Amino acid sequence: MKQSILLSYLTTPNFGTTLWGAAIVYIIPQKKKSHPFWRITGASLLFLLVGFWARTYSGLYTGILSKNTVMAVSVFTMALFCCEISWQNALLTATHAFVAQYMATAVAGFLDPGSMIVAFERVLTEMPRANPVTVGAFVVCYAFCLGIGLKTKAEGNHIVPKMWSIITVLCTYFFAGELNTQAKSAYYLCTDKEQALAFIRIIYCFEFFCSAFYLLIQANLQHQLQMRIDIETEHRLRQLQREQYKISRKNIDLINKRCHELKLYIAEMANDKSEAAPPKQQELLSAVQLYDKEFHTGNIALDTILTEKSITFSEKKIALTCMADGTLVKGIEDSDIYTFFNDLLNAAASVADEQTEAAKRTITLTISGKGEMAYVQLATFAAPDSEKAYRAQTEPIAQYAQRLGGMLRCSQENEHLHITALLPIL
Amino acid sequence: MKIAVAEDDRKCRADLIGKLQQYGNQHNIPMTIDAYGNGVDIAEVADKGYDLILLDILMPMLNGIDAARAIRRIDTNVMILFITNTAQFALQGYEVDAIDYVLKPISMPVLELKMERIVRRIEGKKKEEATLLIVADRQMRKIQQKDIFFMEVKDHLLVYHLENEKIHVTGTLSDIERKLQKNMFFRCSRHSIINLRHVKRVTADAVVVGDDSIRISVARRKELLSAMLDYCEETGQ
């Protein structure tokens, strides 16, 4: 919120000239990779000189400015801001440049104190010409925007919502712009109508770029906040999946233990003639075998997810065949393996589940090595021409693979859906 | 396509051969299928140059896994597809570089799914046998494309990097690129073409081919991974 409020204040027309400083500083780091302190100090000094020159000798603010110069200034500024500016860099440099601008004014005033005093006197005498309604509206708008900012902060957010940002900018643009234009017209003694018009054009140009700059920074902040939220959500999700993985591991161990006990019990029953009839025993044995599906690939996380999915898929009458060398993915964190293959198999199961023919309710997974990478192949049956839908479904997994430094791809040939992935062995 | 089926159960074997022939007829793939009743018999004829061997895991005398080990000692290129009742045994398949396994009873759709991949790989492996004629030191040389690790332009010369040798020739990468097998090579930059067969790993800004690291841009990295997936799908390597 501090940034938002600061930006709200910075977007007053006074800030206009500071954009030049920001632009200069933005350009300098691109060319020279010196220490940020020297870059900023150097740029501030440069801006100080430019400001000093502009205010004292160039006649920029005394009305000798041609229309073409105004246009050139506008186009150049626009071109600068069309570049992507890192908001932190821009904000930092703008603040420095803002200070530098006042330093330039002070230097100009110091060199020619007489003209400064006259200028301030004129501002004070000319200011009442400003429309009281405009001034009032400006104050109300700022108070309102500040209130929104505080409310946003109270709600636990860090930045002002986009809609209020736009309102703030518009208020600044119309009311503060009007107020400052009048004040500055007086300040720079623009008595000539043409001079005043040219001056107003400059100020509105600056206003426009300030607004665009403000929105750009707001958009950046919004984007960063969204990213932060996404990262936090992902962390939470990974934490949950880590816990889920531990629970699954425990459950599988328990199932295996119980399965073993039951098999022994059935064997005992088979030896005892007085017990249940053999067909019943067979039924019982096959029921137990449903849970006797532990995979041994050489990777405990992979074994867990494959065993878990195999049991789940059995209940859905989906056959999972897997040939994998688990050691290939040993460099990847257990929770990542669990998450990746969990999502991958779930996506495949949702496709296989749509098949009505029993023979087509099958998923084949193979993991083999390619250099120091693991090559994952998954094949299943899918409805024809539905590749796009499945690609969308596997998009989050593809992003996950990308995050791990690999790639995942989904393709369909007739009714065979193939999902292939390359994962680096870290 | 030369196929061998090793299955002790006669009924099952006949059913499998019938399905394979049906697949061959449907996809216009000429097939010669030999049948064997145990693991010892198939291991003895492993040098017959089969493209594919279907091996039952539970067989008398020599089980499928051991038979596959014996086959691998003779032929490292043949593709092995296990046939099994239980998935647990088949997990050992990767030890003998088996392509996959199929659960009994074998259904036609599942066999088609597996065969599709096998046929693609056989075609991919044939492509790898392609050769390249180059003139080095005024002598004509024939090199197998799969033996090239990467090619680069250095000091206005074209350098072929092989496992233990570097061959310097005159020419351009673009001319050579046209002669190379598609999907087997990838152009990393204006100065280098790599053989996907020998890619060890892809880092954030480089690709490691053999023991050499070649720089790659972020945009090309994505294309490289995609090309590698194509290559893996074709050859299974």
Side-chain angles (χ1 to χ4, degrees):
Chain A
M1 192 199 70
K2 271 181 197 168
Q3 288 158 340
S4 297
I5 292 172
L6 180 66
L7 286 171
S8 303
Y9 283 110
L10 290 179
T11 49
T12 58
N14 278 336
F15 179 56
T17 42
T18 66
L19 290 180
W20 285 102
I24 291 165
V25 179
Y26 177 68
I27 291 163
I28 290 169
Q30 305 297 314
K31 291 183 178 170
K32 288 180 185 175
K33 286 185 177 174
S34 52
H35 191 272
F37 173 78
W38 295 114
R39 282 200 306 243
I40 291 161
T41 310
S44 300
L45 282 169
L46 185 63
F47 187 68
L48 187 82
L49 287 170
V50 172
F52 175 72
W53 169 79
R55 281 162 190 277
T56 51
Y57 300 111
S58 73
L60 185 71
Y61 295 117
T62 52
I64 312 167
L65 209 64
S66 71
K67 259 187 190 177
N68 289 340
T69 318
V70 174
M71 283 299 287
V73 166
S74 308
V75 169
F76 183 59
T77 316
M78 194 186 282
L80 284 173
F81 279 89
C82 281
C83 305
E84 262 190 57
I85 298 174
S86 135
W87 75 268
Q88 293 99 330
N89 192 22
L91 186 65
L92 191 70
T93 51
T95 314
H96 274 76
F98 188 62
V99 175
Q101 184 210 359
Y102 279 100
M103 281 173 74
T105 314
V107 170
F110 178 74
L111 289 174
D112 189 3
S115 65
M116 280 295 284
I117 291 162
V118 171
F120 276 119
E121 276 174 4
R122 287 297 291 271
V123 170
L124 289 171
T125 50
E126 298 287 333
M127 269 297 277
R129 283 203 303 187
N131 189 347
V133 178
T134 310
V135 178
F138 168 70
V139 171
V140 169
C141 281
Y142 259 95
F144 179 69
C145 293
L146 191 66
I148 291 293
L150 290 170
K151 185 174 170 284
T152 312
K153 177 73 179 167
E155 284 168 358
N157 293 327
H158 299 284
I159 57 168
V160 180
K162 205 178 268 178
M163 191 180 76
W164 295 118
S165 302
I166 294 166
I167 291 172
T168 313
V169 171
L170 289 176
C171 290
T172 312
Y173 187 74
F174 288 112
F175 298 114
E178 170 68 21
L179 187 76
N180 277 274
T181 306
Q182 287 190 29
K184 284 199 171 177
S185 301
Y187 175 73
Y188 293 112
L189 316 169
C190 295
T191 46
D192 189 288
K193 241 187 175 181
E194 207 173 303
Q195 285 176 7
L197 197 66
F199 194 72
I200 286 165
R201 278 199 197 115
I202 296 169
I203 287 175
Y204 272 102
C205 272
F206 281 140
E207 280 289 306
F208 174 76
F209 290 118
C210 287
S211 308
F213 182 55
Y214 177 83
L215 285 175
L216 181 79
I217 292 173
Q218 273 294 64
N220 261 320
L221 287 171
Q222 194 93 42
H223 180 65
Q224 290 219 344
L225 179 73
Q226 192 56 48
M227 271 174 61
R228 207 159 46 225
I229 291 167
D230 287 349
I231 289 166
E232 276 169 18
T233 313
E234 203 183 307
H235 275 306
R236 270 203 300 274
L237 201 70
R238 284 190 68 184
Q239 186 65 35
L240 284 172
Q241 264 161 349
R242 221 169 277 151
E243 282 162 20
Q244 173 66 31
Y245 163 62
K246 282 177 192 162
I247 293 165
S248 296
R249 189 67 247 158
K250 273 184 193 168
N251 286 345
I252 284 162
D253 288 343
L254 206 66
I255 288 168
N256 284 336
K257 204 178 155 193
R258 290 291 299 149
C259 206
H260 186 68
E261 284 169 7
L262 277 167
K263 271 160 79 182
L264 285 175
Y265 178 64
I266 291 163
E268 275 175 24
M269 271 170 67
N271 292 334
D272 190 350
K273 303 287 179 197
S274 62
E275 285 293 327
K280 282 277 175 200
Q281 285 169 19
Q282 274 302 318
E283 210 174 283
L284 200 59
L285 196 64
S286 60
V288 169
Q289 269 170 352
L290 183 73
Y291 297 97
D292 187 20
K293 291 182 183 299
E294 195 175 15
F295 282 77
H296 299 282
T297 64
N299 185 297
I300 201 156
L302 194 62
D303 293 348
T304 305
I305 188 67
L306 289 174
T307 309
E308 187 186 326
K309 288 295 157 196
S310 181
I311 293 167
T312 319
F313 292 171
S314 295
E315 283 165 5
K316 289 182 178 179
K317 308 268 183 244
I318 296 171
L320 170 68
T321 62
C322 170
M323 198 163 71
D325 182 359
T327 56
L328 287 171
V329 287
K330 67 179 177 189
I332 305 172
E333 208 181 305
D334 283 354
S335 57
D336 281 333
I337 294 172
Y338 185 84
T339 308
F340 180 79
F341 286 99
N342 179 53
D343 293 353
L344 189 69
L345 290 167
N346 279 347
S350 67
V351 176
D353 209 17
E354 288 168 11
Q355 299 296 318
T356 48
E357 202 180 322
K360 290 182 179 175
R361 292 172 73 87
T362 180
I363 298 167
T364 302
L365 176 74
T366 53
I367 305 171
S368 50
K370 165 74 188 120
E372 290 172 13
M373 288 176 284
Y375 174 52
V376 181
Q377 275 178 296
L378 188 142
T380 189
F381 290 89
D385 303 323
S386 44
E387 188 184 341
K388 260 189 181 175
Y390 300 132
R391 196 169 284 172
Q393 207 175 337
T394 53
E395 187 53 36
I397 319 167
Q399 281 178 8
Y400 202 78
Q402 213 172 330
R403 205 171 62 79
L404 294 173
M407 183 182 246
L408 182 137
R409 209 167 56 183
C410 179
S411 61
Q412 191 177 7
E413 265 178 52
N414 303 319
E415 53 177 0
H416 299 163
L417 181 78
H418 298 276
I419 303 172
T420 49
L422 265 176
L423 300 174
I425 305 164
L426 306 171
Chain B
M1 190 194 281
K2 276 187 85 175
I3 303 173
V5 177
E7 163 70 79
D8 59 328
D9 186 332
R10 276 188 187 180
K11 203 180 156 193
C12 201
R13 193 167 64 216
D15 177 56
L16 181 58
I17 291 170
K19 279 177 177 147
L20 283 169
Q21 278 165 342
Q22 190 188 334
Y23 178 83
N25 293 336
Q26 278 173 358
H27 295 84
N28 290 323
I29 302 167
M31 286 179 178
T32 52
I33 307 169
D34 296 336
Y36 300 93
N38 61 64
V40 176
D41 288 351
I42 185 72
E44 279 174 359
V45 292
D47 56 350
K48 269 192 168 182
Y50 288 113
D51 294 309
L52 170 69
I53 296 174
L54 289 101
L55 270 178
D56 183 18
I57 288 188
L58 292 174
M59 281 190 294
M61 293 156 78
L62 189 67
N63 70 43
I65 299 285
D66 290 335
R69 284 194 186 108
I71 292 165
R72 277 281 171 256
R73 278 195 286 272
I74 300 162
D75 189 344
T76 50
N77 287 323
V78 65
M79 264 175 278
I80 296 171
L81 180 70
F82 284 118
I83 311 158
T84 178
N85 283 314
T86 50
Q88 272 84 347
F89 286 111
L91 283 165
Q92 297 164 10
Y94 60 79
E95 290 172 14
V96 286
D97 196 22
I99 185 166
D100 206 343
Y101 70 93
V102 60
L103 285 173
K104 286 183 192 173
I106 303 165
S107 66
M108 196 57 201
V110 172
L111 189 71
E112 276 182 349
L113 187 71
K114 310 277 178 186
M115 285 303 288
E116 186 187 83
R117 193 146 59 100
I118 290 164
V119 170
R120 199 186 301 157
R121 282 198 188 177
I122 290 170
E123 283 167 5
K125 286 206 170 185
K126 277 178 187 162
K127 272 187 193 175
E128 289 202 317
E129 300 305 316
T131 55
L132 191 71
L133 280 172
I134 55 169
V135 181
D137 297 330
R138 294 178 189 172
Q139 278 186 334
M140 186 81 93
R141 273 188 70 175
K142 191 176 177 183
I143 52 171
Q144 282 212 303
Q145 293 196 9
K146 66 177 178 185
D147 293 338
I148 302 168
F149 276 57
F150 67 99
M151 285 152 282
E152 65 173 342
V153 176
K154 214 170 183 181
D155 301 328
H156 305 290
L157 282 173
L158 192 60
V159 188
Y160 288 86
H161 290 257
L162 277 68
E163 194 173 7
N164 295 314
E165 191 186 2
K166 283 181 192 174
I167 307 169
H168 293 76
V169 297
T170 51
T172 64
L173 271 182
S174 302
D175 289 339
I176 296 300
E177 199 176 11
R178 278 191 283 273
K179 293 175 191 167
L180 296 171
Q181 284 292 320
K182 279 181 186 170
N183 291 352
M184 193 172 162
F185 290 88
F186 180 80
R187 189 150 191 171
C188 283
S189 66
R190 283 192 301 152
H191 312 290
S192 58
I193 295 176
I194 58 163
N195 189 341
L196 297 170
R197 182 188 166 91
H198 299 291
V199 171
K200 266 190 187 170
R201 63 177 176 272
V202 183
T203 62
D205 59 353
V207 51
V208 180
V209 187
D211 296 327
D212 295 283
S213 181
I214 297 159
R215 288 190 73 79
I216 189 165
S217 69
V218 177
R220 294 296 286 163
R221 183 186 185 273
K222 207 175 171 184
E223 284 174 40
L224 170 65
L225 284 171
S226 184
M228 280 185 65
L229 276 176
D230 287 335
Y231 176 76
C232 288
E233 271 169 37
E234 266 197 6
T235 62
Q237 289 174 5

